[in-house]
Amino acid sequence: MGDAKEGEEELPRCVGCGRRVKTLYMQYSPGNIRLMKCDTCKAVADPYIECEFTIILIDLILHKTRAYRHLLFNKLRIYSSLDKGVLVLSILTHLVLDAFRISFSRGNIADGDSSINIFSVILNCSKVLGDALLGNIVFMTMLFLEVQFILKLSFDIRRYREVLLAVIISSYFKLFLMAMMVWEFPSSVIFFVEISVLSSNTVALRVVTEFSKAHCFGVCFGAHAARYLTERWLLGAP
């Protein structure tokens, strides 16, 4: 019985209504496929299958729930057991990008001065990574607590892992911080990136949990606020 339920959860989803479908397409020959329709809404279950990545990325940036369902349910298959490696890689990437953000916020960017001691550089990098790690531990802890008490989700490690993966994957806006390593941007860019991450996390959490936008925003805002206060007051980060 449990195996049957688990197998049903691993089915792909219709990007329009979010219902489970048996298959997204039928392949008759290499390069010749037919997109299947959803039995519930009668629309094509996932038209993004035939779209280029650029189109999907644009719809993700525009916060379209259809694009988030395609990415989370049909592309990454967050309900399957295959997402463990993706989760670890996503957490590490998330941690490194947060370290970049803290470093840029503090103005700890090397200016090419050859007199900088290599030991001090290593020490500074270790401190920034430690600060990012502590901030993310607070973020994840607050996220899980709010999911349990605000969204009333039963404590299930597998379910919480899916929520965590959805929130971290939807933090892709932080990748734009890497452009600050090449071009010079005002510090206000970090604020706009964080706001974009918050709104993207809200959409992803809503897609995964199917709760209202207000509840999901409250959960994401509380987790981000806890991390911000930790970095600002306890760690001395701007």
Side-chain angles (χ1 to χ4, degrees), residues 48-136:
Y48 286 108
I49 292 177
E50 295 184 329
C51 293
E52 296 182 356
F53 175 73
T54 305
I55 302 299
I56 300 174
L57 179 60
I58 291 174
D59 280 357
L60 287 172
I61 293 176
L62 294 176
H63 290 1
K64 293 187 177 181
T65 55
R66 295 165 58 90
Y68 279 85
R69 287 194 183 107
H70 165 77
L71 176 65
L72 297 175
F73 295 135
N74 302 338
K75 190 69 175 179
L76 296 178
R77 299 291 183 90
I78 65 170
Y79 285 109
S80 71
S81 59
L82 301 177
D83 64 335
K84 294 179 180 178
V86 176
L87 178 60
V88 173
L89 180 61
S90 300
I91 291 177
L92 291 177
T93 303
H94 187 83
L95 181 62
V96 171
L97 291 175
D98 260 349
F100 276 135
R101 176 182 55 79
I102 293 175
S103 180
F104 280 116
S105 297
R106 292 177 176 175
N108 294 332
I109 305 177
D111 55 4
D113 188 359
S114 58
S115 62
I116 297 179
N117 191 333
I118 186 65
F119 177 77
S120 63
V121 172
I122 295 176
L123 184 62
N124 181 65
C125 290
S126 300
K127 187 177 186 305
V128 170
L129 283 173
D131 293 351
L133 177 60
L134 181 56
N136 276 280

Side-chain angles (χ1 to χ4, degrees), residues 124-177:
N124 181 65
C125 290
S126 300
K127 187 177 186 305
V128 170
L129 283 173
D131 293 351
L133 177 60
L134 181 56
N136 276 280
I137 290 175
V138 172
F139 172 81
M140 295 175 187
T141 302
M142 182 60 66
L143 177 68
F144 289 154
L145 289 175
E146 290 182 302
V147 164
Q148 183 174 3
F149 292 106
I150 296 180
L151 301 186
K152 305 297 183 181
L153 289 184
S154 59
F155 184 78
D156 184 349
I157 295 179
R158 186 167 179 264
R159 181 66 165 154
Y160 276 58
R161 186 185 66 190
E162 293 153 4
V163 170
L164 178 61
L165 178 60
V167 170
I168 290 181
I169 290 295
S170 62
S171 300
Y172 57 87
F173 275 99
K174 292 187 178 184
L175 292 171
F176 291 104
L177 294 175

